[in-house]
Amino acid sequence: MSDISAFLRAIRDEHALRSALAHHETLPAQPPSYAPGLPTGSEALAPVLAAREIARLYSHQARAIELLEADRAADGAEARGRNVVLATPTASGKTLVYNLPVLRRTLEDPEARALYLFPLKALEQDQRQRFEEDVRALGLPGARIRAAIYDGDTPTAARKKLRDDPPNVLITTPDMLHAGILPHHATWRRFFEGLSLVVVDELHTYRGIFGAHVAQVLRRLDRVARFHGAAPQIVAASATIANPGELAAALANREFEVVQADGAPRARREVLLFRPEASPYTLAANLFRLAVGLGLRTIAFTKARVVTELMHQWIVEAEPGLAEKVSSYRAGFLPEERREIEARLFSGELMGVISTSALEMGIDVGGLDVCLLVGYPGSQVSTWQRSGRVGRKGAAAIALIAQPDALDQYLISHPRVFFSRGYEHAVLDPHNREIAGAHLPCAAAEVPLRAGERWLETDAARANVAALEESGELLRSDSGGEWFSARRRPHRDVSLRQIGASYAIALDGERSRRPEVIGSIGSGNVYSECHEGAIYLHRGRQYLVTELDPENRNVWVRAVAAPYYTRAISQKETSILTRDRSRPMGNCKVVQGRLKVTTTITGYERRRVRGQDLLGTEPLDLPPTSFETVGIWFEFPDEIPRAIEAAELHVMGGIHASEHAALSLFPLFALCDRHDVAGISYVRHPELLRAAFFLYDGIPGGVGIAASLFERTESLLDATLQMIADCDCEEGCPACVHSPKCGSGNRPIDKQAAVMTLRLLLARDPLPAIDRETESLDEPPATLEAESAAADAPRVLYFDLETQRSADEVGGWHNAHLMRVALACVYDSHTQEFETFHERDVAALIERLARADLVVGFNVKRFDYQVLRGYTERDLETLPTFDMLDAIHQRLGFRLALAHVGEETLGRGKSADGLQSLEWWKQGRLDLIEAYCRDDVALLRDLLGHAEAHGHLCFRTRNGERVRLPAPWKIPELLEEIRAGRGPIASNRRAAPRRAAGRTRTGYAGPLFDGDPKPR
Ligand SMILES: [Zn+2]
Ligand SMILES: [Zn+2]
């Protein structure tokens, strides 16, 4: 009988533990929720459940099985069932969800086959055993239903047997499917013909590069299955993540039904957050000994193999009696060793295990009581996946012991964030060009690519095929409709775990002999980690790089025992290839696009292992390397750097520190390692001509991580600001703004400037105005595209918008793109109806404007279009536009307010003004803003109508005389002028507007006079 309360008491009684305890929270138990009976058609499987001592299925299990079998039951065996993704916690019985339908199908049809995919070989054995146990429970005579593993360890003789007489369940990894099965699918004919279900377990691990590769492998699998006349369903099982349906759909290129309401019971869990003063490992080892000493079965998860070994060593040294009762567990152990540890843990012979992430997935080690997380596992997904190991039998304790890095410290200081943050999004980009480009020849070698097939539906895929044809990797058929692979086995050069070419790391001995290869490294990291003179760490050993040979892709190393480590010093440049989408955020503009990142390693530092003192710096002469990727960036208005300067803080130090801190919190938002994303800061970006910082996928082609943050940048920067502001340090430390990966050695870094930068970016503080008297605001001459003549009457859109913020709030009219749309109204001359657009509809609004024959507005170019500039990369200047204020100005040499012209011409002015509208926005009265905005649009429409009918409008001079304003504006002629590139719109005669020239946004309701009236 475990005793968690004794464990909690002991912690309270021991000063060192109690003082490190930062937070304690109790998560209540959750009762099970059962389904009423077995799913229809599964009655024959009752013995399987009986053997597992399962009386009833949990509700989520039953639901998933029902969905999988639904269509089949209705339309017979030929029908295609639904694809299901099940996202529930560890130990919620996911295996049964696919084993039961597979058993049912094989009982009905001995030729039915299933393919089980697991991301790690280590998971295969466990799954085969469980399937075989279920088969045995059925008590069938002979070996009627078989499961077999097919992977790199399968002996050659056995392979042929498996192909000729395939098992009902083939268990393998995506890597083996890619390299060993799909390329030889003809020899697997019997297997593919019967393939009815594909199981993708541990779905959440298929993200980033690996996910993008597996997405391609699953597309290839789908093609091959179709080639053999099969159309298998997919059932995917995932740890709990924010977006299981989306991930599965991106991965498998089809729709999924999502089941995530968990019916499995949960025990009460005591969650303890520790902030150790000294070493987190010492504290973890002490907690481990304490728990095991109380008879609690304990698992500790570390983040590094070496920590696993150290903790094991310390525990046994401190308490030799535990030598037989605890073990370490990590990659690098032989499979037999691992099986033995798992079995001893399961049987209870072992009281505790210290493991790397290797034990996070799949393998059943029975119920445990205490889970120690030595360092935040990097995601909520992993945190709850790992701690799901405990509490199956009764109450359990979970302790997180924070390490001194930014993310850990942030979560320990903000326990509410830790407990309520929710699960991360797992993202992958199935369209990564580099990865898709590597798999297209593989697919073509399997079954020739055909024009029009599903895989080639996207423009990106077609462009990829064209490029591969150009480079000679794909050969086009004479008829033109098919492509073949130029090589017979293109898959040999494609590894699912990395991108681009890899370098062999070999021991530098006698090179005449066959060199001993100790590992490999991707071309993306080879210059920074394996330059000459670098210390390369491999399995806890140090190696000195003696030569980097790019020509033959070799890294030569020698084992050494050096008291130092090395760190590359690099310079980076980012150039913008495309701007794909943008939006205003706070006081800045967020943009997403494709980037080209060029890195030059200029030298390296040698630092002492203990204490990290700098021992020396060596220069390096290496060529620049570059790659294309996807990123998001923040474009600063000039006020931000100026304000920071004015506060006598370091501008670059502030931007750089903000970038670091934002990067370190990325894992809170998307499932990724800190190494998957990178950043770069500019005080003045050479293309943008303004300050900016970039956050991008550090993986060629991008895998969707940065892009997934585009909509959530407020939350990201908000958390970043909170983290920095709450850190106790004075000038920045590894727990807030320092990055271990910084290419410039964390210089310059200015913590205070970062707080100010982020507050300004998020508009927590208003932008201070800059004196812009000397700056010309002249707009560039408008370029006009010839519009094709519309056959029927031109579609004229009368248009006006209201904003959320005033010019003052964004630092002036030049930042109109930060004012944000509150609401826009359009009157369409075709439908003769008004339409309203809210901020979320801005894209639709812009689309609408772009399709009009003529857009009519009042000061639309200097104001409305400038506001919309925050949301679009389209050059709105090119839209066919009639700006009435512009035309008035050209005629008179000064401007008039709309209200004034309306009053004098039609006897009706505006129903409100801009200030009022801003007030309404603050009160949430969108209804009032809408009414006002419509009135304005109607007024504009009627004024142009008046001008068309009478050839003039009216206004009152300063002397009080009501006079005619010549207005020879006829829509057909206006259109003609626009097409010809002349007329009011194309005119360059524009006076520089003063600040007051912004229509009524200043709150000025009377006529606007820039100078004395000068009738022409
Ligand atoms: Zn700090
Ligand atoms: Zn940096």
Side-chain angles (χ1 to χ4, degrees), residues 394-445:
I398 297 156
L400 167 63
I401 300 118
Q403 289 184 325
D405 72 58
L407 190 54
D408 285 38
Q409 294 296 321
Y410 174 72
L411 290 169
I412 290 286
S413 321
H414 301 90
R416 285 277 53 82
V417 174
F418 180 79
F419 288 103
S420 60
R421 163 106 231 141
Y423 296 94
E424 295 85 359
H425 290 72
V427 294
L428 65 89
D429 178 7
H431 308 296
N432 177 301
R433 215 175 139 175
E434 205 147 328
I435 292 174
H439 285 270
L440 280 166
C442 302

Side-chain angles (χ1 to χ4, degrees), residues 298-309:
T298 302
I299 185 165
F301 282 102
T302 71
K303 293 170 81 172
R305 289 179 293 206
V306 53
V307 176
T308 300
E309 292 302 337

Side-chain angles (χ1 to χ4, degrees), residues 656 660 742 744:
H656 188 202
H660 277 186
C742 182
S744 64

Side-chain angles (χ1 to χ4, degrees), residues 656-657 659-660 679-681 737 739 741-749:
H656 188 202
E659 174 233 298
H660 277 186
I680 185 165
S681 301
V737 294
S739 162
K741 295 267 290 175
C742 182
S744 64
N746 287 305
R747 281 184 308 262
I749 286 282

Side-chain angles (χ1 to χ4, degrees), residues 723-724 727-737 751:
M723 171 184 87
I724 301 178
C727 189
D728 292 336
C729 71
E730 289 273 316
E731 310 202 307
C733 70
C736 59
V737 294
K751 181 182 169 183

Side-chain angles (χ1 to χ4, degrees), residues 4-12 17-18 20-27 269-275 283 287 290-291 296 369-374 383-384 387 396-402 411-412 415 418-419:
I4 292 298
S5 45
F7 181 60
L8 297 177
R9 253 194 326 274
I11 289 169
R12 276 195 296 272
L17 297 177
R18 188 182 61 228
L21 181 61
H23 186 83
H24 174 190
E25 183 137 338
T26 303
L27 304 179
R269 288 162 295 165
E270 305 290 348
V271 186
L272 309 163
L273 307 184
F274 286 96
R275 184 195 282 118
L283 183 84
L287 284 170
L290 178 66
L296 296 167
D369 309 307
V370 175
C371 171
L372 306 178
L373 302 168
V374 188
T383 297
W384 299 109
S387 56
I398 297 156
L400 167 63
I401 300 118
L411 290 169
I412 290 286
F418 180 79
F419 288 103

